[in-house]
Amino acid sequence: MLMTDIIKKKRNGMKLDREEIQWVITEYVRGNIPDYQVSALMMAIYYMGLDNDETLDLTMAMKNSGDVLDLSGIKGIKVDKHSTGGVGDKTSLIVAPMVAALGIPVAKMSGRGLGHTGGTIDKLESIKGFRTDLTEEEFINNVNTIGISIMGQTRDLAPADKKLYALRDVTGTVENMSLIASSIMSKKLAAGCDGIVLDVTCGSGAFMKNIDDARALARIMVDIGNLAGKKTVAVITDMNEPLGRAIGNSLEVKEAIDALKGKGPEDLMQVCMALAGNMLIIAGKAGDMEEAESLLNNVIDNGKALSVFKAFVKAQGGDMTLVDDPELFGKAALNKEIRAEKEGYISRIECEEVGTASLLLGGGRRNKEDVIDPDVGIILNKKTGDRVLKDEVIATLYANDEGRLEDGYDRLSGAIDISDSPCDKYELVKETIV
Protein backbone atom coordinates (compact mmCIF):
# COMPACT_ATOMS: atom_id res chain seq x y z
CA MET A 1 0.00 0.00 0.00
CA LEU A 2 1.02 3.62 -0.50
CA MET A 3 0.38 6.13 2.28
CA THR A 4 -0.20 8.89 -0.29
CA ASP A 5 -3.05 6.87 -1.84
CA ILE A 6 -4.73 6.48 1.57
CA ILE A 7 -4.33 10.19 2.40
CA LYS A 8 -5.86 11.19 -0.95
CA LYS A 9 -8.69 8.69 -0.55
CA LYS A 10 -9.78 10.14 2.79
CA ARG A 11 -9.09 13.71 1.64
CA ASN A 12 -11.60 13.11 -1.16
CA GLY A 13 -14.23 11.88 1.30
CA MET A 14 -14.01 8.18 0.46
CA LYS A 15 -14.32 5.35 2.97
CA LEU A 16 -11.14 3.58 4.12
CA ASP A 17 -11.36 -0.19 4.33
CA ARG A 18 -10.26 -2.27 7.31
CA GLU A 19 -7.03 -3.45 5.68
CA GLU A 20 -5.95 0.11 4.89
CA ILE A 21 -6.59 1.30 8.45
CA GLN A 22 -4.83 -1.72 9.93
CA TRP A 23 -1.84 -1.19 7.63
CA VAL A 24 -1.49 2.48 8.59
CA ILE A 25 -1.59 1.76 12.33
CA THR A 26 0.79 -1.23 12.14
CA GLU A 27 3.37 0.51 9.98
CA TYR A 28 3.19 3.76 11.96
CA VAL A 29 3.86 1.97 15.25
CA ARG A 30 6.76 0.13 13.57
CA GLY A 31 8.23 3.49 12.52
CA ASN A 32 7.81 2.90 8.79
CA ILE A 33 5.46 5.86 8.16
CA PRO A 34 6.71 9.37 9.02
CA ASP A 35 4.82 11.74 11.29
CA TYR A 36 4.16 14.23 8.51
CA GLN A 37 2.17 11.69 6.48
CA VAL A 38 0.13 10.54 9.48
CA SER A 39 -0.48 14.21 10.34
CA ALA A 40 -1.89 14.70 6.84
CA LEU A 41 -4.18 11.69 7.31
CA MET A 42 -5.37 12.96 10.70
CA MET A 43 -6.23 16.33 9.15
CA ALA A 44 -8.11 14.60 6.33
CA ILE A 45 -10.05 12.58 8.92
CA TYR A 46 -10.68 15.74 10.96
CA TYR A 47 -12.38 17.41 7.98
CA MET A 48 -13.97 14.43 6.17
CA GLY A 49 -14.82 12.26 9.19
CA LEU A 50 -15.04 8.52 9.70
CA ASP A 51 -18.21 6.45 9.57
CA ASN A 52 -19.09 3.87 12.24
CA ASP A 53 -17.29 1.02 10.46
CA GLU A 54 -14.11 3.07 10.03
CA THR A 55 -14.23 4.24 13.65
CA LEU A 56 -14.56 0.67 14.91
CA ASP A 57 -11.78 -0.54 12.60
CA LEU A 58 -9.48 2.26 13.80
CA THR A 59 -10.29 1.47 17.44
CA MET A 60 -9.58 -2.25 17.03
CA ALA A 61 -6.35 -1.60 15.12
CA MET A 62 -5.17 0.72 17.90
CA LYS A 63 -6.25 -1.76 20.58
CA ASN A 64 -4.26 -4.55 18.89
CA SER A 65 -1.18 -2.38 18.32
CA GLY A 66 0.35 -3.60 21.59
CA ASP A 67 -0.47 -5.70 24.62
CA VAL A 68 -4.03 -6.75 25.38
CA LEU A 69 -4.43 -7.55 29.05
CA ASP A 70 -5.65 -11.09 29.71
CA LEU A 71 -8.00 -10.99 32.70
CA SER A 72 -9.29 -14.54 32.27
CA GLY A 73 -7.51 -15.44 35.52
CA ILE A 74 -9.92 -13.18 37.43
CA LYS A 75 -13.14 -14.82 38.52
CA GLY A 76 -16.47 -13.13 37.73
CA ILE A 77 -17.73 -10.43 35.35
CA LYS A 78 -15.23 -7.59 35.27
CA VAL A 79 -16.63 -4.10 34.65
CA ASP A 80 -14.43 -1.06 34.00
CA LYS A 81 -15.31 2.61 34.41
CA HIS A 82 -13.87 5.58 32.53
CA SER A 83 -14.46 9.33 32.76
CA THR A 84 -13.80 11.81 29.97
CA GLY A 85 -12.47 14.17 32.63
CA GLY A 86 -13.36 17.17 34.71
CA VAL A 87 -12.53 19.09 37.88
CA GLY A 88 -12.82 17.44 41.29
CA ASP A 89 -13.57 14.08 39.67
CA LYS A 90 -12.58 11.48 42.27
CA THR A 91 -15.39 9.06 41.43
CA SER A 92 -13.11 6.07 40.71
CA LEU A 93 -11.84 6.16 44.31
CA ILE A 94 -15.42 5.77 45.56
CA VAL A 95 -17.13 3.73 42.86
CA ALA A 96 -14.50 0.99 42.65
CA PRO A 97 -14.59 -0.01 46.37
CA MET A 98 -18.41 0.13 46.45
CA VAL A 99 -18.72 -2.18 43.45
CA ALA A 100 -15.97 -4.52 44.68
CA ALA A 101 -17.71 -4.75 48.08
CA LEU A 102 -20.66 -6.33 46.25
CA GLY A 103 -18.52 -9.09 44.78
CA ILE A 104 -17.90 -7.57 41.36
CA PRO A 105 -14.16 -7.62 40.54
CA VAL A 106 -12.67 -4.22 39.65
CA ALA A 107 -9.44 -4.49 37.66
CA LYS A 108 -8.68 -0.95 36.55
CA MET A 109 -5.85 0.68 34.66
CA SER A 110 -5.70 4.44 35.11
CA GLY A 111 -3.49 7.25 33.94
CA ARG A 112 -1.86 10.39 35.23
CA GLY A 113 -3.41 13.78 34.73
CA LEU A 114 -2.31 16.43 32.27
CA GLY A 115 -3.99 19.77 32.89
CA HIS A 116 -6.19 20.96 35.75
CA THR A 117 -5.58 18.30 38.39
CA GLY A 118 -3.98 14.91 38.73
CA GLY A 119 -5.43 11.71 37.37
CA THR A 120 -6.53 8.76 39.49
CA ILE A 121 -2.95 7.50 39.75
CA ASP A 122 -1.70 10.90 40.97
CA LYS A 123 -4.45 11.03 43.58
CA LEU A 124 -3.65 7.54 44.88
CA GLU A 125 0.06 8.33 45.03
CA SER A 126 -0.71 11.14 47.49
CA ILE A 127 -1.18 8.24 49.96
CA LYS A 128 2.29 7.67 51.38
CA GLY A 129 3.86 4.45 50.07
CA PHE A 130 1.06 3.63 47.60
CA ARG A 131 2.32 1.65 44.59
CA THR A 132 0.78 1.75 41.13
CA ASP A 133 3.66 0.07 39.25
CA LEU A 134 2.33 -3.45 39.81
CA THR A 135 3.25 -6.51 37.81
CA GLU A 136 0.43 -8.19 35.94
CA GLU A 137 0.62 -11.07 38.43
CA GLU A 138 0.29 -8.73 41.43
CA PHE A 139 -2.58 -6.91 39.74
CA ILE A 140 -4.59 -10.07 39.06
CA ASN A 141 -3.79 -11.59 42.47
CA ASN A 142 -5.01 -8.45 44.27
CA VAL A 143 -8.31 -8.50 42.38
CA ASN A 144 -8.85 -12.19 43.15
CA THR A 145 -7.89 -11.68 46.80
CA ILE A 146 -9.59 -8.42 47.80
CA GLY A 147 -11.77 -7.65 44.76
CA ILE A 148 -9.97 -4.54 43.50
CA SER A 149 -6.71 -3.28 42.07
CA ILE A 150 -5.78 -0.08 40.23
CA MET A 151 -2.49 0.21 38.40
CA GLY A 152 -0.83 2.61 35.98
CA GLN A 153 -1.15 1.92 32.28
CA THR A 154 1.52 -0.40 30.94
CA ARG A 155 3.91 1.08 28.41
CA ASP A 156 2.81 -1.39 25.73
CA LEU A 157 -0.96 -0.94 26.11
CA ALA A 158 -2.34 0.58 22.88
CA PRO A 159 0.97 2.23 21.85
CA ALA A 160 -0.67 3.51 18.65
CA ASP A 161 -2.91 5.74 20.76
CA LYS A 162 0.07 7.32 22.53
CA LYS A 163 1.77 8.10 19.22
CA LEU A 164 -1.39 9.37 17.53
CA TYR A 165 -2.52 11.50 20.47
CA ALA A 166 0.88 13.20 20.75
CA LEU A 167 0.68 13.99 17.04
CA ARG A 168 -2.94 15.21 17.15
CA ASP A 169 -2.13 17.42 20.13
CA VAL A 170 0.38 19.46 18.12
CA THR A 171 -1.44 19.47 14.78
CA GLY A 172 -4.87 20.77 15.84
CA THR A 173 -6.71 17.51 15.19
CA VAL A 174 -7.80 16.54 18.70
CA GLU A 175 -11.44 17.67 18.41
CA ASN A 176 -12.85 14.96 16.16
CA MET A 177 -15.50 12.62 17.60
CA SER A 178 -14.19 9.47 15.94
CA LEU A 179 -10.59 10.16 16.93
CA ILE A 180 -11.59 10.96 20.52
CA ALA A 181 -13.76 7.84 20.74
CA SER A 182 -11.15 5.51 19.25
CA SER A 183 -8.49 6.91 21.59
CA ILE A 184 -10.58 6.23 24.69
CA MET A 185 -12.06 2.92 23.61
CA SER A 186 -8.84 1.38 22.29
CA LYS A 187 -7.36 1.63 25.79
CA LYS A 188 -10.53 0.40 27.49
CA LEU A 189 -10.80 -2.62 25.18
CA ALA A 190 -7.10 -3.42 25.59
CA ALA A 191 -7.57 -3.39 29.38
CA GLY A 192 -9.53 -6.62 29.08
CA CYS A 193 -12.77 -6.09 31.04
CA ASP A 194 -16.12 -7.65 30.15
CA GLY A 195 -18.19 -4.46 30.39
CA ILE A 196 -17.57 -0.71 30.40
CA VAL A 197 -19.39 2.23 32.03
CA LEU A 198 -18.42 5.59 30.55
CA ASP A 199 -18.84 8.87 32.42
CA VAL A 200 -19.13 11.43 29.62
CA THR A 201 -18.85 14.80 31.30
CA CYS A 202 -20.47 17.89 29.82
CA GLY A 203 -20.03 21.58 30.58
CA SER A 204 -17.42 24.30 31.06
CA GLY A 205 -14.96 22.03 32.90
CA ALA A 206 -15.33 19.14 30.45
CA PHE A 207 -13.94 18.39 27.01
CA MET A 208 -17.49 18.34 25.62
CA LYS A 209 -18.95 21.78 26.33
CA ASN A 210 -22.57 21.09 25.35
CA ILE A 211 -25.07 18.26 25.64
CA ASP A 212 -25.27 17.59 21.90
CA ASP A 213 -21.53 16.95 21.61
CA ALA A 214 -21.53 14.85 24.78
CA ARG A 215 -24.45 12.79 23.47
CA ALA A 216 -22.73 12.26 20.11
CA LEU A 217 -19.46 11.14 21.73
CA ALA A 218 -21.32 8.84 24.13
CA ARG A 219 -23.27 7.26 21.28
CA ILE A 220 -20.11 6.54 19.26
CA MET A 221 -18.27 5.00 22.21
CA VAL A 222 -21.22 2.85 23.29
CA ASP A 223 -21.60 1.56 19.73
CA ILE A 224 -17.88 0.75 19.54
CA GLY A 225 -17.96 -1.12 22.84
CA ASN A 226 -21.06 -3.12 21.96
CA LEU A 227 -19.77 -3.96 18.46
CA ALA A 228 -16.53 -5.14 20.07
CA GLY A 229 -18.53 -7.57 22.21
CA LYS A 230 -18.38 -5.56 25.45
CA LYS A 231 -21.57 -4.49 27.19
CA THR A 232 -21.17 -0.71 27.27
CA VAL A 233 -23.20 2.08 28.87
CA ALA A 234 -22.54 5.83 28.94
CA VAL A 235 -23.80 8.23 31.61
CA ILE A 236 -23.74 11.91 30.67
CA THR A 237 -22.99 13.99 33.76
CA ASP A 238 -22.68 17.70 34.43
CA MET A 239 -19.31 19.42 34.75
CA ASN A 240 -20.33 23.09 34.81
CA GLU A 241 -18.94 23.32 38.33
CA PRO A 242 -16.46 21.04 40.14
CA LEU A 243 -17.74 17.71 41.43
CA GLY A 244 -17.80 17.64 45.22
CA ARG A 245 -16.07 20.29 47.29
CA ALA A 246 -12.40 19.26 47.06
CA ILE A 247 -10.07 20.00 44.14
CA GLY A 248 -6.49 18.79 44.49
CA ASN A 249 -4.95 15.38 44.97
CA SER A 250 -4.74 14.62 48.69
CA LEU A 251 -7.81 16.81 49.32
CA GLU A 252 -9.79 14.67 46.87
CA VAL A 253 -8.60 11.43 48.47
CA LYS A 254 -9.75 12.74 51.84
CA GLU A 255 -13.14 13.59 50.37
CA ALA A 256 -13.35 10.11 48.83
CA ILE A 257 -12.64 8.52 52.23
CA ASP A 258 -15.37 10.69 53.76
CA ALA A 259 -17.74 9.51 51.03
CA LEU A 260 -16.97 5.86 51.81
CA LYS A 261 -17.81 6.67 55.44
CA GLY A 262 -21.22 7.98 54.36
CA LYS A 263 -20.24 11.65 54.59
CA GLY A 264 -19.81 12.49 50.90
CA PRO A 265 -21.21 15.65 49.30
CA GLU A 266 -24.62 15.13 47.74
CA ASP A 267 -23.57 15.97 44.18
CA LEU A 268 -20.56 13.65 44.28
CA MET A 269 -22.60 10.77 45.67
CA GLN A 270 -25.35 11.24 43.08
CA VAL A 271 -22.86 10.80 40.23
CA CYS A 272 -21.11 7.89 41.97
CA MET A 273 -24.42 6.09 42.45
CA ALA A 274 -25.29 6.52 38.77
CA LEU A 275 -21.95 5.11 37.64
CA ALA A 276 -21.70 2.30 40.18
CA GLY A 277 -25.37 1.39 39.67
CA ASN A 278 -24.82 0.85 35.96
CA MET A 279 -21.76 -1.27 36.73
CA LEU A 280 -23.94 -3.51 38.93
CA ILE A 281 -26.57 -3.81 36.20
CA ILE A 282 -23.98 -4.74 33.55
CA ALA A 283 -22.53 -7.37 35.91
CA GLY A 284 -26.00 -8.83 36.56
CA LYS A 285 -25.91 -7.95 40.26
CA ALA A 286 -28.95 -5.64 40.05
CA GLY A 287 -31.97 -5.58 37.78
CA ASP A 288 -32.50 -1.82 37.81
CA MET A 289 -31.15 1.39 39.31
CA GLU A 290 -33.45 1.30 42.32
CA GLU A 291 -32.14 -2.12 43.36
CA ALA A 292 -28.57 -1.08 42.56
CA GLU A 293 -28.74 2.05 44.74
CA SER A 294 -30.16 0.05 47.63
CA LEU A 295 -27.25 -2.41 47.44
CA LEU A 296 -24.70 0.40 47.16
CA ASN A 297 -26.13 2.32 50.10
CA ASN A 298 -25.93 -0.87 52.18
CA VAL A 299 -22.19 -1.31 51.62
CA ILE A 300 -21.64 2.31 52.60
CA ASP A 301 -23.83 2.01 55.71
CA ASN A 302 -22.35 -1.30 56.91
CA GLY A 303 -18.75 -0.23 56.27
CA LYS A 304 -17.93 -2.90 53.67
CA ALA A 305 -16.98 -0.37 50.98
CA LEU A 306 -14.56 1.37 53.34
CA SER A 307 -13.09 -2.01 54.40
CA VAL A 308 -12.43 -2.87 50.75
CA PHE A 309 -10.72 0.50 50.24
CA LYS A 310 -8.52 -0.14 53.28
CA ALA A 311 -7.56 -3.60 52.02
CA PHE A 312 -6.84 -2.10 48.60
CA VAL A 313 -4.55 0.58 50.07
CA LYS A 314 -2.74 -1.97 52.23
CA ALA A 315 -2.24 -4.42 49.34
CA GLN A 316 -0.59 -1.71 47.25
CA GLY A 317 1.74 -0.49 50.00
CA GLY A 318 -0.16 2.57 51.16
CA ASP A 319 -0.05 3.98 54.68
CA MET A 320 -3.21 2.66 56.37
CA THR A 321 -3.11 5.27 59.13
CA LEU A 322 -4.06 7.94 56.56
CA VAL A 323 -7.29 6.10 55.81
CA ASP A 324 -8.14 5.75 59.48
CA ASP A 325 -7.28 9.39 60.17
CA PRO A 326 -7.24 11.53 56.98
CA GLU A 327 -6.08 14.53 59.02
CA LEU A 328 -2.63 12.90 58.91
CA PHE A 329 -2.31 13.68 55.19
CA GLY A 330 0.24 16.35 54.34
CA LYS A 331 -0.95 19.92 54.71
CA ALA A 332 -0.01 22.93 52.61
CA ALA A 333 1.87 25.66 54.46
CA LEU A 334 -0.29 28.53 53.21
CA ASN A 335 -4.00 29.18 52.78
CA LYS A 336 -6.23 32.04 51.76
CA GLU A 337 -10.01 32.47 51.87
CA ILE A 338 -12.34 33.95 49.29
CA ARG A 339 -15.21 35.73 51.04
CA ALA A 340 -18.52 36.95 49.71
CA GLU A 341 -18.56 40.63 48.86
CA LYS A 342 -22.32 40.79 49.37
CA GLU A 343 -25.28 38.75 50.52
CA GLY A 344 -27.03 36.65 47.87
CA TYR A 345 -26.85 33.34 46.01
CA ILE A 346 -23.96 31.68 44.22
CA SER A 347 -24.97 31.92 40.56
CA ARG A 348 -21.77 30.75 38.88
CA ILE A 349 -18.61 28.84 39.74
CA GLU A 350 -16.82 28.63 36.39
CA CYS A 351 -15.53 25.07 36.39
CA GLU A 352 -12.67 25.42 33.93
CA GLU A 353 -11.38 28.50 35.79
CA VAL A 354 -11.44 26.60 39.10
CA GLY A 355 -9.36 23.89 37.44
CA THR A 356 -6.92 26.49 36.15
CA ALA A 357 -6.66 27.98 39.65
CA SER A 358 -5.75 24.52 41.00
CA LEU A 359 -3.15 24.18 38.25
CA LEU A 360 -1.63 27.55 39.21
CA LEU A 361 -1.43 26.41 42.84
CA GLY A 362 0.66 23.41 41.71
CA GLY A 363 -2.06 20.76 41.71
CA GLY A 364 -1.84 19.89 38.00
CA ARG A 365 0.58 19.68 35.09
CA ARG A 366 1.22 22.09 32.24
CA ASN A 367 3.33 19.37 30.58
CA LYS A 368 4.17 15.74 31.26
CA GLU A 369 7.41 16.57 33.05
CA ASP A 370 5.81 18.77 35.73
CA VAL A 371 5.79 17.47 39.32
CA ILE A 372 2.44 17.73 41.11
CA ASP A 373 2.28 19.02 44.67
CA PRO A 374 -0.15 16.56 46.32
CA ASP A 375 -1.05 18.86 49.22
CA VAL A 376 -2.27 21.96 47.38
CA GLY A 377 -5.77 22.65 46.11
CA ILE A 378 -9.12 24.22 46.80
CA ILE A 379 -12.05 23.53 49.11
CA LEU A 380 -15.38 24.97 47.96
CA ASN A 381 -17.44 25.93 50.99
CA LYS A 382 -20.34 26.94 48.76
CA LYS A 383 -21.72 25.62 45.47
CA THR A 384 -24.02 27.04 42.79
CA GLY A 385 -27.47 27.79 44.21
CA ASP A 386 -26.26 28.12 47.82
CA ARG A 387 -27.17 31.21 49.84
CA VAL A 388 -24.26 33.28 51.21
CA LEU A 389 -23.98 36.13 53.69
CA LYS A 390 -21.65 39.08 53.27
CA ASP A 391 -18.07 38.11 54.31
CA GLU A 392 -19.00 34.39 54.48
CA VAL A 393 -16.25 32.05 53.22
CA ILE A 394 -16.99 30.76 49.71
CA ALA A 395 -13.73 28.89 49.11
CA THR A 396 -10.32 28.26 50.66
CA LEU A 397 -7.11 27.87 48.65
CA TYR A 398 -4.08 25.87 49.85
CA ALA A 399 -0.53 26.32 48.53
CA ASN A 400 3.12 25.98 49.43
CA ASP A 401 4.31 29.05 47.53
CA GLU A 402 3.17 32.64 48.08
CA GLY A 403 3.29 33.56 44.41
CA ARG A 404 1.32 30.49 43.39
CA LEU A 405 -1.24 31.22 46.10
CA GLU A 406 -1.79 34.76 44.81
CA ASP A 407 -2.07 33.56 41.20
CA GLY A 408 -4.61 30.92 42.17
CA TYR A 409 -6.55 33.40 44.31
CA ASP A 410 -6.79 35.93 41.49
CA ARG A 411 -8.01 33.27 39.06
CA LEU A 412 -10.57 31.75 41.41
CA SER A 413 -11.92 35.12 42.55
CA GLY A 414 -12.94 35.92 38.99
CA ALA A 415 -14.67 32.56 38.56
CA ILE A 416 -17.40 33.09 41.16
CA ASP A 417 -20.53 35.25 40.81
CA ILE A 418 -23.20 36.14 43.37
CA SER A 419 -26.74 37.11 42.35
CA ASP A 420 -29.48 38.79 44.36
CA SER A 421 -32.13 36.20 43.48
CA PRO A 422 -32.15 32.42 43.98
CA CYS A 423 -30.91 30.19 41.14
CA ASP A 424 -31.23 26.49 40.41
CA LYS A 425 -28.59 23.86 41.06
CA TYR A 426 -27.33 21.90 38.07
CA GLU A 427 -28.98 18.68 36.90
CA LEU A 428 -26.06 16.30 37.51
CA VAL A 429 -27.06 13.07 35.75
CA LYS A 430 -28.43 14.12 32.37
CA GLU A 431 -28.84 10.95 30.32
CA THR A 432 -27.93 7.28 30.15
CA ILE A 433 -27.09 5.87 26.73
CA VAL A 434 -27.07 2.12 26.07
Side-chain angles (χ1 to χ4, degrees):
M1 295 186 189
L2 292 176
M3 187 63 178
T4 49
D5 290 341
I6 294 173
I7 293 169
K8 290 175 184 177
K9 187 176 180 180
K10 180 46 64 179
R11 180 200 67 189
N12 294 335
M14 299 172 67
K15 179 174 179 173
L16 301 180
D17 60 44
R18 182 176 300 170
E19 290 72 23
E20 288 169 326
I21 292 171
Q22 181 65 62
W23 180 82
V24 170
I25 295 300
T26 300
E27 294 304 307
Y28 183 49
V29 170
R30 289 175 177 171
N32 296 331
I33 301 176
D35 281 351
Y36 60 82
Q37 285 191 312
V38 178
S39 296
L41 180 61
M42 291 298 105
M43 189 61 75
I45 289 172
Y46 180 86
Y47 280 112
M48 303 309 298
L50 298 174
D51 68 14
N52 287 347
D53 291 336
E54 291 173 298
T55 304
L56 177 61
D57 290 340
L58 176 60
T59 303
M60 298 307 289
M62 290 165 64
K63 168 209 165 190
N64 293 320
S65 66
D67 293 342
V68 176
L69 198 58
D70 180 7
L71 300 182
S72 60
I74 298 174
K75 300 178 288 290
I77 298 173
K78 299 158 283 291
V79 184
D80 200 357
K81 169 257 172 196
H82 175 81
S83 171
T84 57
V87 181
D89 182 1
K90 70 284 292 179
T91 55
S92 289
L93 304 181
I94 303 162
V95 166
M98 288 196 300
V99 171
L102 287 162
I104 299 166
V106 178
K108 183 169 177 56
M109 281 193 174
S110 293
R112 299 185 184 280
L114 183 59
H116 300 146
T117 54
T120 298
I121 294 298
D122 298 301
K123 296 183 198 340
L124 287 169
E125 287 181 348
S126 69
I127 302 172
K128 183 180 178 182
F130 194 95
R131 288 181 54 225
T132 58
D133 58 339
L134 305 181
T135 66
E136 191 171 320
E137 291 73 22
E138 287 176 310
F139 181 63
I140 290 173
N141 181 66
N142 284 354
V143 178
N144 278 329
T145 303
I146 62 176
I148 179 175
S149 188
I150 299 178
M151 65 183 287
Q153 289 174 359
T154 64
R155 184 171 55 186
D156 295 323
L157 192 77
D161 176 61
K162 296 180 179 68
K163 287 176 67 73
L164 285 176
Y165 191 87
L167 200 62
R168 288 165 54 214
D169 193 37
V170 296
T171 58
T173 53
V174 170
E175 296 91 347
N176 172 274
M177 291 290 184
S178 290
L179 295 178
I180 295 167
S182 61
S183 174
I184 292 170
M185 294 304 292
S186 63
K187 295 190 289 287
K188 290 293 101 181
L189 295 174
C193 281
D194 303 311
I196 304 166
V197 172
L198 300 162
D199 179 10
V200 180
T201 53
C202 171
S204 87
F207 196 71
M208 297 292 121
K209 302 299 183 186
N210 62 70
I211 187 66
D212 289 338
D213 286 347
R215 188 183 292 120
L217 177 61
R219 181 74 270 161
I220 293 171
M221 292 194 294
V222 167
D223 288 345
I224 289 171
N226 288 329
L227 287 169
K230 309 290 185 181
K231 178 63 177 174
T232 307
V233 173
V235 182
I236 300 177
T237 64
D238 187 85
M239 193 53 72
N240 279 300
E241 69 174 351
L243 189 60
R245 296 187 178 275
I247 302 99
N249 295 280
S250 65
L251 295 176
E252 290 187 42
V253 175
K254 290 168 68 175
E255 186 168 69
I257 293 169
D258 282 343
L260 291 170
K261 292 177 179 177
K263 303 173 184 175
E266 182 180 352
D267 63 334
L268 174 60
M269 295 312 298
Q270 187 177 338
V271 172
C272 286
M273 286 293 175
L275 299 174
N278 277 287
M279 292 173 76
L280 298 193
I281 292 170
I282 285 179
K285 186 71 176 181
D288 55 33
M289 284 300 295
E290 184 178 357
E291 182 184 4
E293 289 192 20
S294 176
L295 291 169
L296 293 164
N297 281 320
N298 283 341
V299 294
I300 294 289
D301 294 342
N302 64 25
K304 287 184 178 179
L306 181 62
S307 294
V308 168
F309 184 78
K310 288 181 178 180
F312 159 60
V313 170
K314 182 178 180 181
Q316 297 193 206
D319 184 350
M320 290 287 293
T321 62
L322 298 177
V323 182
D324 291 326
D325 185 2
E327 291 306 310
L328 296 176
F329 273 92
K331 291 181 173 59
L334 306 169
N335 67 80
K336 189 169 184 177
E337 297 172 340
I338 292 178
R339 293 180 175 270
E341 295 180 353
K342 65 175 186 176
E343 182 178 340
Y345 300 85
I346 303 295
S347 59
R348 180 186 71 110
I349 300 179
E350 185 66 29
C351 194
E352 188 170 12
E353 289 294 281
V354 178
T356 301
S358 176
L359 174 66
L360 293 171
L361 293 171
R365 293 185 179 91
R366 289 184 174 88
N367 57 66
K368 292 180 180 179
E369 290 72 37
D370 283 352
V371 177
I372 282 179
D373 185 339
D375 301 330
V376 306
I378 299 162
I379 295 292
L380 295 174
N381 303 81
K382 297 289 183 178
K383 301 291 290 287
T384 301
D386 289 348
R387 180 174 173 78
V388 290
L389 302 175
K390 189 177 187 302
D391 291 328
E392 191 173 4
V393 176
I394 299 173
T396 307
L397 298 91
Y398 298 88
N400 285 311
D401 176 272
E402 189 69 45
R404 283 183 173 272
L405 182 62
E406 291 304 318
D407 288 344
Y409 180 88
D410 291 342
R411 198 68 178 235
L412 186 57
S413 297
I416 301 170
D417 290 338
I418 299 173
S419 67
D420 295 328
S421 57
C423 54
D424 294 333
K425 291 182 177 292
Y426 291 108
E427 178 189 14
L428 294 170
V429 179
K430 297 181 178 299
E431 290 183 27
T432 299
I433 293 178
V434 297

